[in-house]
Amino acid sequence: MEAVRRSAMRGNIVFLLFLFVAIKSQTSPCPRLFVYEKKGSTPNRWYGLITLLTDKQLNGIWLRIILDQPSLQLGNWFGEPERSGTENKEFLVKNRNFVLKANTPHIVRFFVEYDPQSPTPRLVSFRLNGKTICPEDDDPENVTTEKLMLLTSGPGNVSLVNRSDRIRPRDGNCGTTVVQPRPLITFGMVTQEGEFPWHAALYYAKGIDLSYICGASLISVSHVITVAHCVTRRRSTVPLQPKNVVVYLGKYYLQRFNNVGIQDRPVEEIVPHPKYDAATYRNDIAIVKLEAPVDVTDYVRPVCLWPDEVNLSSVIDKQGTVVGWGFDETGKVTETLMQAKMPVVSDDVCVQSFPEFFVRFTSPSTYCAGFRNGTSVCNGDSGGGMVFPRQTANGRVWELRGLVSISVALQNQFKCDTAHYVVFTDSAKYLEWIKEVISK
């Protein structure tokens, strides 16, 4: 990638703000501008965040990061990194084509890998298009962001608040929410953060790249449930390597990783159903075990499994709720989590609507849902759960009935046809297997 011309940035004022919780033992040379993320599971790697904000549109970014000790590599999700010098202490991250819109924050997330037998490198400075931004001349006393965090609810609207009350771990039963759901995801509705705290996002990690795979649902503090075709090799029953899958919970934006309450967990084990058929999508269900339990918060909570009554007649003609980041009605993948309400239909209605497809891909362990009018779930929503509310003595809880499996594709296009029903794996039919797997 070509270097950004310095002249392209002259006369522009850039402000950098942090938007994450730092680890207590690590302090920043410019706490207002840079923070370390909480320590992850990789022993010789740490992550850091810089948020870019400008009062004028910028065309191209040139960010130089300087460490105090040699490192093995610096990776990021923003631009092309280049080493400067021979000691691996200075790196240049370039993105000539990136347009930073005025008053619209953008976070640059990066990681540093290092030799665990050597001193841990720390960030000492960074420069933006040749200008030193950190440390600041009027740098305040070193503090961590364990106490304080910047929260932005919109472009240019930044305020300093204490959010520990909403992100601290909580005890709670399954299927409960703090933000009440309002009475894909195509022709769907935008959700609110924390409205569906059990919804999870599965990402495939290759090198420093993360690619969104599918949705999933948290069913215990250590397990998410999804469909098997999302976590197995293409046209195969062989599961993906756990080290290549990362689970994000409390996630609201698809391409951003900075919303409040987000948690990520590496994967310990992927368990597809033993009778999964990759050709017919029979038994399209899998459980993913996390390396470490999640913290139950207002943003991350498990959904309830379906009660013992599994007869489909109890939900036919009733509307279930599905959330995800699928294609919207314009054919674009949604950036914010969306929801759609869809009625469950009988097997006869489903099969008769398109026999050539549904005879092959439905079974006693599936069901169909949809309006066939544009309100549907599309490609990226696979694996997401359909939930129904149930009133209890302690209030309303949400229970998981099915998982988005497959749908009819538009001819010559890699996206679903919303004029047809969607096939769901009836997860209620697999309760014994689910409980057996998560009890191990």
Side-chain angles (χ1 to χ4, degrees), residues 34 38 91 100 136 197 207 284 303 324 406 427:
F34 163 77
K38 183 179 179 180
F91 297 84
L100 182 63
E136 300 176 277
D284 191 15
V303 69
I406 59 173
S427 54

Side-chain angles (χ1 to χ4, degrees), residues 89-354:
K89 294 166 59 176
E90 188 171 323
F91 297 84
L92 180 64
V93 178
K94 301 183 295 183
N95 191 328
R96 181 174 61 89
N97 298 319
F98 183 79
V99 177
L100 182 63
K101 296 182 180 179
N103 300 317
T104 303
H106 184 83
I107 289 180
V108 176
R109 184 175 190 246
F110 67 96
F111 67 82
V112 172
E113 284 193 1
Y114 54 91
D115 184 349
Q117 305 300 320
S118 302
T120 302
R122 299 293 182 217
L123 183 141
V124 294
S125 176
F126 59 80
R127 296 198 290 269
L128 184 62
N129 284 49
K131 180 180 179 180
T132 299
I133 303 297
C134 173
E136 300 176 277
D137 293 336
D138 57 347
D139 203 22
E141 181 182 358
N142 273 345
V143 296
T144 69
T145 55
E146 181 187 39
K147 299 179 180 178
L148 299 174
M149 181 174 60
L150 284 177
L151 173 68
T152 176
S153 59
N157 181 17
V158 181
S159 58
L160 190 63
V161 295
N162 188 326
R163 294 300 298 273
S164 61
D165 60 323
R166 295 206 65 188
I167 62 174
R168 71 175 183 270
R170 294 175 178 266
D171 295 325
N173 296 323
C174 65
T176 60
T177 63
V178 174
V179 177
Q180 292 302 315
R182 292 160 297 171
L184 131 155
I185 293 273
T186 309
F187 295 171
M189 297 165 54
V190 177
T191 66
Q192 303 177 65
E193 292 183 67
E195 192 173 358
F196 297 95
W198 48 82
H199 190 71
L202 305 181
Y203 284 79
Y204 185 80
K206 186 175 182 180
I208 63 173
D209 295 325
L210 283 177
S211 301
Y212 174 65
I213 307 174
C214 285
S217 298
L218 185 69
I219 56 173
S220 83
V221 293
S222 298
H223 300 86
V224 298
I225 191 169
T226 186
V227 288
H229 79 256
C230 286
V231 289
T232 52
R233 295 180 183 177
R234 185 174 176 82
R235 298 176 182 175
S236 166
T237 60
V238 178
L240 299 175
Q241 290 291 327
K243 67 179 181 180
N244 293 127
V245 180
V246 181
V247 179
Y248 278 83
L249 303 108
K251 190 167 173 55
Y252 182 70
Y253 300 101
L254 181 61
Q255 301 297 339
R256 290 160 57 184
F257 297 81
N258 63 331
N259 53 284
V260 177
I262 195 170
Q263 299 180 40
D264 64 275
R265 293 292 185 273
V267 170
E268 179 178 310
E269 185 181 15
I270 297 173
V271 186
H273 192 276
K275 294 185 178 180
Y276 168 58
D277 187 330
T280 62
Y281 293 88
R282 295 290 175 96
N283 304 301
D284 191 15
I285 187 170
I287 292 176
V288 177
K289 184 178 181 180
L290 311 178
E291 277 194 2
V294 301
D295 296 325
V296 178
T297 69
D298 288 354
Y299 301 94
V300 177
R301 295 183 174 200
V303 69
C304 295
L305 294 174
W306 198 257
D308 293 335
E309 174 55 54
V310 297
N311 194 318
L312 191 62
S313 61
S314 64
V315 292
I316 288 178
D317 295 330
K318 293 184 179 180
Q319 292 188 22
T321 301
V322 187
V323 296
W325 291 281
F327 290 100
D328 63 16
E329 64 272 16
T330 68
K332 296 180 180 178
V333 176
T334 60
E335 169 60 11
T336 55
L337 193 64
M338 303 286 287
Q339 65 169 307
K341 293 188 176 181
M342 307 164 57
V344 177
V345 300
S346 69
D347 292 338
D348 289 343
V349 170
C350 181
V351 171
Q352 290 173 11
S353 70
F354 191 1

Side-chain angles (χ1 to χ4, degrees), residues 418-436:
T418 58
H420 291 285
Y421 295 118
V422 175
V423 179
F424 288 75
T425 299
D426 192 347
S427 54
K429 303 286 179 64
Y430 296 89
L431 289 177
E432 291 187 9
W433 176 76
I434 294 170
K435 293 175 181 179
E436 178 185 351

